[in-house]
């Protein structure tokens, strides 16, 4: 096992052929598509080659090598891009360390090939990054500014998580997760922000951060990257964001909820939700600025829209252009996405996994579907949600649901049982609070129980950041039978 030579961590002057290690990841496949569209010859390797990314890459004619090995580098590419999934023990990474091939991480490559030369608009924060990025990119597109973007979800307007435009703006989802095995700093530190949004700062990613202070330290570095002539749009209702924003050397425009004594640059006023569309008041420096609409429910989505409004106003869009972009936004897959309705039962898919995201999502769905019974199925799947760190907090975030069904998570290798999250313990805690909650060992057991309890008019919200054993399609199929 050898470390990569830091002297080779750069892009060479002449590049024709690029090899991507870990190419089947959602972001890596999107990067491969963007690079190929830019004229580069792309190859890639991965140990998990399966749809939809394998189909996407195959459709582009990109050669994918199954598994990692030294032979994958024998074509002598001009540059190797090393995905975050690759460890220093990876056989292909070891082979790379024994060559003189230049290499970049995913964030470095994104910055070098696509952010450089453009105005970088970066959305960062624990929650809401994907939706906020998608709103921003879609509105820029509607305003005919032809943006380029890379986003962590499929934007329905484009049916893709990336776009290669000819305009001056790049919209980046600024993830605080680490960059690569050879660079443990956060991804967003590579994205050269000129205008940035910070939606929230909470503890997350327990596999790489030990505590909230470490996360704040990373956000401090990010804020320092914004030039003095730039702009930080910060949710100052979040005390952690306010603490970090106070250290910015650029202009800060704060946003949050409207109060009579508010000193926020942008404030969210009265909200009205009907048929899945929310109409809300926007206050600018304490004065009513406009009323806007977005085809989403929930206070958090209105705040995301407010942050986008601040950025778009800064770069010169008119209130009419902003209103048109927000009101026509078609949404993001796996964010309050209605997967289907069978037998009078509506099935919704959402990505929520952090306790705050679960609480806000369920509150939003309650407002969007008033008078309907809301059933929530939750799968703890991320590294953080499978640990006991949020065990007690989860007990207070399901109040908007009428029935809660919990899947026991897969254990994390190397952790003691007391360090692991327990769905059965959470179900017991929820029942003590008067909620109807049960835990199950697997997805089959959940479906078996659920199908017996469903009634016409129910709304089933399935929350997971993974595929959840295709539970959505399986449930709809059973309802159709």
């Amino acid at each position: 096992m050898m470390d990569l030579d830091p002297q080779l961590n750069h892009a060479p002057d002449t590049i024709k052929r690029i090899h991507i290690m870990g190419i089947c990841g959602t972001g890596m496949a999107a990067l491969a598509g963007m690079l190929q569209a830019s004229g580069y010859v792309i190859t890639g390797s991965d140990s998990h080659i399966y749809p939809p990314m394998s189909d996407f890459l195959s459709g582009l004619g990109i050669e994918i090598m199954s598994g990692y090995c030294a032979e994958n580098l024998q074509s002598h590419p001009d540059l190797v891009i090393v995905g975050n999934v690759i460890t220093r023990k990876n056989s292909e990474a070891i082979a790379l360390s024994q060559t003189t091939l230049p290499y970049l991480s995913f964030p470095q490559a994104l910055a070098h090939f696509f952010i450089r030369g453009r105005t970088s608009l970066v959305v960062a924060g624990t929650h809401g990054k994907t939706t906020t990025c998608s709103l921003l990119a879609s509105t820029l597109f509607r305003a005919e500014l032809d943006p380029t973007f890379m986003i962590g979800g499929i934007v329905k307007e484009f049916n893709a998580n990336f776009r290669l435009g000819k305009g001056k703006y790049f919209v980046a989802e600024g993830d605080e997760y680490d960059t690569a095995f050879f660079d443990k700093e956060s991804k967003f530190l590579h994205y050269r922000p000129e205008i940035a949004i910070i939606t929230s700062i909470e503890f997350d990613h327990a596999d790489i951060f030990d505590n909230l202070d470490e996360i704040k330290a990373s956000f401090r570095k990010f804020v320092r990257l914004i030039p003095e002539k730039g702009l930080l749009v910060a949710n100052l209702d979040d005390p952690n964001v306010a603490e970090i924003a106070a250290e910015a050397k650029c202009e800060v425009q704060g946003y949050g909820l409207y109060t009579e004594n508010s000193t926020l640059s942008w404030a969210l006023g009265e909200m009205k939700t009907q048929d899945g569309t929310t109409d809300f008041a926007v206050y600018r420096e304490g004065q009513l600025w406009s009323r806007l609409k977005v085809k989403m429910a929930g206070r958090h989505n209105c705040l995301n829209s407010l942050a986008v409004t601040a950025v778009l106003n800064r770069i010169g869009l008119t209130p009419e252009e902003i209103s048109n972009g927000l009101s026509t936004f078609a949404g993001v897959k796996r964010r309050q996405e209605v997967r289907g309705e069978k037998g009078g039962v509506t099935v919704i898919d959402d990505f929520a996994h952090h306790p705050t995201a679960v609480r806000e999502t369920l509150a939003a769905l309650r407002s969007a579907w008033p008078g309907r019974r809301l059933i929530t199925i939750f799968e703890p799947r991320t590294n953080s949600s499978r640990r006991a760190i949020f065990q007690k907090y989860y007990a207070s975030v399901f109040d908007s649901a009428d029935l809660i069904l919990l899947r026991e998570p897969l254990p994390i290798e190397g952790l003691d049982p007391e360090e692991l999250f327990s769905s059965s313990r959470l179900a017991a805690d929820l029942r003590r609070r008067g909620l109807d909650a049960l835990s199950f060992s697997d997805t089959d057991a959940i479906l078996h129980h659920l199908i017996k309890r469903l009634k016409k008019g129910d709304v089933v919200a399935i929350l997971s950041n993974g595929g959840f054993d295709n539970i959505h399609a399986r449930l709809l199929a059973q309802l159709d039978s």
Side-chain angles (χ1 to χ4, degrees), residues 23-24 29 48-60 62 64:
I23 195 171
C24 288
H48 300 287
I49 300 175
Y50 49 81
M53 287 301 108
S54 59
D55 291 342
F56 167 74
L57 293 165
S58 177
L60 294 176
I62 292 174
I64 310 175

Side-chain angles (χ1 to χ4, degrees), residues 370-447:
R372 305 274 291 270
R373 190 169 71 141
L374 179 59
I375 298 172
T376 300
I377 305 173
F378 176 59
E379 178 192 35
R381 187 175 178 275
T382 65
N383 192 288
S384 294
S385 64
R386 288 186 290 151
R387 296 170 185 255
I389 49 174
F390 294 132
Q391 183 79 49
K392 292 181 180 179
Y393 189 13
Y394 275 118
S396 65
V397 303
F398 288 90
D399 289 8
S400 294
D402 299 297
L403 171 63
I404 304 116
L405 307 181
L406 308 168
R407 190 193 193 284
E408 286 291 355
L410 295 174
I412 300 174
E413 187 177 350
L415 289 188
D416 294 333
E418 63 269 18
E419 297 179 87
L420 296 173
F421 176 83
S422 167
S423 287
S424 60
R425 192 184 316 156
L426 173 58
D429 289 342
L430 292 170
R431 288 194 295 270
R432 276 191 286 271
R433 298 186 61 244
L435 297 174
D436 190 353
L438 294 168
S439 65
F440 300 86
S441 60
D442 56 40
T443 306
D444 289 343
I446 291 175
L447 284 168

Side-chain angles (χ1 to χ4, degrees), residues 273-278 294-297 336 368:
T273 301
Q274 186 173 0
D275 298 327
T277 295
T278 304
V294 65
K295 294 177 183 176
M296 295 183 289
Q336 295 183 21

Side-chain angles (χ1 to χ4, degrees), residues 217-269:
S218 209
F219 275 92
R220 283 190 174 90
K221 293 177 183 178
F222 173 71
V223 165
R224 291 182 196 129
L225 294 174
I226 307 171
E228 289 185 18
K229 61 181 176 62
L231 172 67
L232 173 61
V233 177
N235 179 6
L236 298 186
D237 283 352
D238 183 321
N240 295 322
V241 176
E243 176 187 332
I244 302 304
E247 301 181 20
K249 60 185 178 184
C250 64
E251 177 187 356
V252 176
Q253 292 186 11
Y255 72 96
L257 300 178
Y258 175 77
T259 64
E260 288 187 5
N261 300 318
S262 175
T263 59
L264 296 168
S265 300
W266 299 88
L268 171 65

Side-chain angles (χ1 to χ4, degrees), residues 304-322:
N304 293 338
S305 302
L306 186 64
V308 167
T309 296
V311 172
L312 296 171
N313 179 77
R314 170 60 174 259
I315 65 178
L317 268 66
T318 66
E320 292 74 22
E321 288 174 318
I322 296 171

